[in-house]
């Protein structure tokens, strides 16, 4: 029986991990990031992969730096190491040992969108499709030879959360279907075309702010490309207002980009964008309050959203 070590950390990793557990192979170890403080009370919280491993009585290792503790992983004598959103670069000393190598399940169609936030960037860039790539790991970021690839369409209504779930499920299915052929040495890996490589770095705080000078389609992609985390924001009268959800409104409006030009039946408000078209804001989170619909926000005071106010100043 082949011995597998799985390395992953967030929710994206869990369906892939669970699919491996259901195979004929033996998952001998789960490697994940250390517990971290979470929430306002800073409660130490285990990563989802640790919770899954403990549920299935699989040993867990949580090195702060995998480079310092790679020998503990090799002690389990894995035939293959499989990673999915683990969060650390594996050292060469680890990559070289397993008989069938170290492979990674990545949430893009490589060589496009290498890096830590491929799902966000696929939507931010307005792509119609993305996918899953399984590749051999090398010392360069997401640059190894490709073992398998599968395309996943992106619907206009998709956001990071929905696409995340689709890709995680696809990754699990593709991996389970690929491993038997990999172990039978029936796969010829293909090198990536470096000239086509693009990168999807982690989202920085300044990238979350909406630029109302952009076209309304770009702003719509910005909002759904950061939903449900980390969430796009603007400012309203100088205070941060998160924008959880919106719709495209292709009617033409006069006004300054960022200006509120219409309130629709107390359920949404329309903001002018750089191309003089609009976005219809549906869900917000004002400073110091919870996420809510615009209707809920306006129920307490219809004057809370005012025509003519310019967002983002």
């Amino acid at each position: 029986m082949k011995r597998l070590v799985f390395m992953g950390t967030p929710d994206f990793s869990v369906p892939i991990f669970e699919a491996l557990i259901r195979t004929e192979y033996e998952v001998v170890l789960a490697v994940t990031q250390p517990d971290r403080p979470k929430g306002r009370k800073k409660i130490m919280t285990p990563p989802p992969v640790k919770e899954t491993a403990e549920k299935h009585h699989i040993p867990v290792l949580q090195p702060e730096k995998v480079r310092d503790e790679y020998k503990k992983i090799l002690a389990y004598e894995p035939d293959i190491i499989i990673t999915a959103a683990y969060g650390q670069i594996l050292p060469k000393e680890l990559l070289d040992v397993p008989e069938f190598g170290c492979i990674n399940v990545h949430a893009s169609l490589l060589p496009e969108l290498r890096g830590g936030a491929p799902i966000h960037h696929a939507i931010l860039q307005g792509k119609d499709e993305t996918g899953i790539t399984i590749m051999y790991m090398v010392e360069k970021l997401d640059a190894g030879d490709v073992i398998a690839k599968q395309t996943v369409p992106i619907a206009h209504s998709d956001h990071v959360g929905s696409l995340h779930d689709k890709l995680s499920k696809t990754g699990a299915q593709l991996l389970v279907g690929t491993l038997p052929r990999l172990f039978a040495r029936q796969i010829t890996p293909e090198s990536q075309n470096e000239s086509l490589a693009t990168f999807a770095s982690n989202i920085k705080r300044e990238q979350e702010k909406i630029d109302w000078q952009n076209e309304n389609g770009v702003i719509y992609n910005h909002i759904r490309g950061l939903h449900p985390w980390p969430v796009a924001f603007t400012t309203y009268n100088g205070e941060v207002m998160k924008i959880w959800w919106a719709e495209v409104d292709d009617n033409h409006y006069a006004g300054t980009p960022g200006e509120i030009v219409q309130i629709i039946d107390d359920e949404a408000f329309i903001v002018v964008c750089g191309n003089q078209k609009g976005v219809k804001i549906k869900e917000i989170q004002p400073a110091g309050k919870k996420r809510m619909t615009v209707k809920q926000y306006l129920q307490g005071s219809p004057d809370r959203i005012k025509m003519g106010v310019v967002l983002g100043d």
Side-chain angles (χ1 to χ4, degrees):
M1 180 182 291
K2 295 293 188 293
R3 296 170 61 84
L4 279 53
V5 166
F6 180 76
M7 303 177 71
T9 299
D11 288 328
F12 178 81
S13 312
V14 171
I16 297 168
F17 185 24
E18 289 185 327
L20 287 175
I21 294 170
R22 292 192 294 270
T23 65
E24 63 190 277
Y25 313 118
E26 182 182 8
V27 181
V28 294
L29 175 69
V31 184
T32 187
Q33 296 283 343
D35 296 2
R36 304 291 190 198
K38 190 175 182 181
R40 292 184 177 181
K41 295 184 178 179
K42 303 296 182 185
I43 297 173
M44 292 299 289
T45 304
V49 163
K50 180 181 180 181
E51 294 180 326
T52 304
E54 291 180 339
K55 185 173 68 177
H56 293 278
H57 309 291
I58 294 171
V60 176
L61 187 65
Q62 296 178 275
E64 194 69 47
K65 294 181 180 179
V66 68
R67 181 174 299 278
D68 296 337
E69 299 189 46
Y70 73 90
K71 290 182 180 178
K72 293 181 181 178
I73 300 173
L74 294 179
Y76 283 84
E77 300 181 338
D79 294 301
I80 190 170
I81 294 175
I82 299 165
T83 70
Y86 170 56
Q88 294 189 40
I89 301 295
L90 272 56
K92 189 174 187 303
E93 294 85 346
L94 196 55
L95 296 176
D96 288 347
V97 175
E99 179 183 354
F100 293 92
C102 299
I103 66 173
N104 176 241
V105 181
H106 184 76
S108 82
L109 296 173
L110 292 172
E112 283 191 344
L113 302 179
R114 294 175 177 174
I119 303 175
H120 291 82
H121 284 274
I123 293 181
L124 289 170
Q125 294 176 20
K127 290 183 176 295
D128 295 326
E129 64 179 27
T130 183
I132 289 289
T133 303
I134 300 175
M135 59 168 181
Y136 282 115
M137 299 184 72
V138 294
E139 291 185 274
K140 186 177 178 182
L141 180 66
D142 298 330
D145 291 351
V146 173
I147 301 166
K149 189 182 285 190
Q150 184 166 330
T151 298
V152 174
I154 302 175
H156 187 64
S157 58
D158 266 330
H159 48 72
V160 167
S162 61
L163 186 58
H164 167 282
D165 293 348
K166 290 180 184 178
L167 289 169
S168 181
K169 181 179 179 181
T170 300
Q173 293 171 342
L174 185 62
L175 178 63
V176 169
T178 299
L179 283 179
R181 294 189 296 121
L182 185 69
F183 291 142
R185 302 190 188 283
Q186 295 174 340
I187 294 177
T188 302
E190 296 183 4
S191 59
Q192 297 185 37
N193 185 340
E194 288 296 317
S195 68
L196 299 179
T198 61
F199 294 89
S201 57
N202 292 329
I203 305 296
K204 297 178 180 177
R205 176 62 174 170
E206 59 267 27
Q207 293 175 293
E208 298 167 19
K209 187 174 183 179
I210 297 171
D211 181 354
W212 296 105
Q213 298 291 337
N214 285 325
E215 296 183 358
N216 62 336
V218 173
I219 292 173
Y220 174 65
N221 290 338
H222 187 111
I223 292 169
R224 69 190 184 112
L226 299 178
H227 174 103
W229 73 92
V231 185
F233 76 90
T234 185
T235 55
Y236 183 95
N237 287 337
E239 292 192 327
V240 170
M241 174 185 281
K242 292 185 176 181
I243 306 296
W244 280 85
W245 197 245
E247 296 175 357
V248 171
D249 178 358
D250 280 333
N251 292 312
H252 286 264
Y253 297 94
T256 303
E259 182 177 345
I260 297 173
V261 291
Q262 189 175 344
I263 299 173
I264 305 173
D265 297 330
D266 293 339
E267 293 185 356
F269 59 89
I270 293 176
V271 182
V272 178
C273 304
N275 59 345
Q276 300 304 129
K277 295 182 180 180
V279 289
K280 186 187 298 182
I281 306 299
K282 305 279 288 190
E283 290 186 53
I284 60 174
Q285 185 174 358
K289 298 184 180 296
K290 296 180 178 178
R291 170 186 178 182
M292 65 187 81
T293 63
V294 169
K295 181 177 183 178
Q296 289 170 328
Y297 186 61
L298 292 175
Q299 279 176 340
S301 172
D303 295 331
R304 283 178 171 174
I305 298 294
K306 294 182 179 179
M307 300 266 290
V309 172
V310 178
L311 303 180
D313 280 355

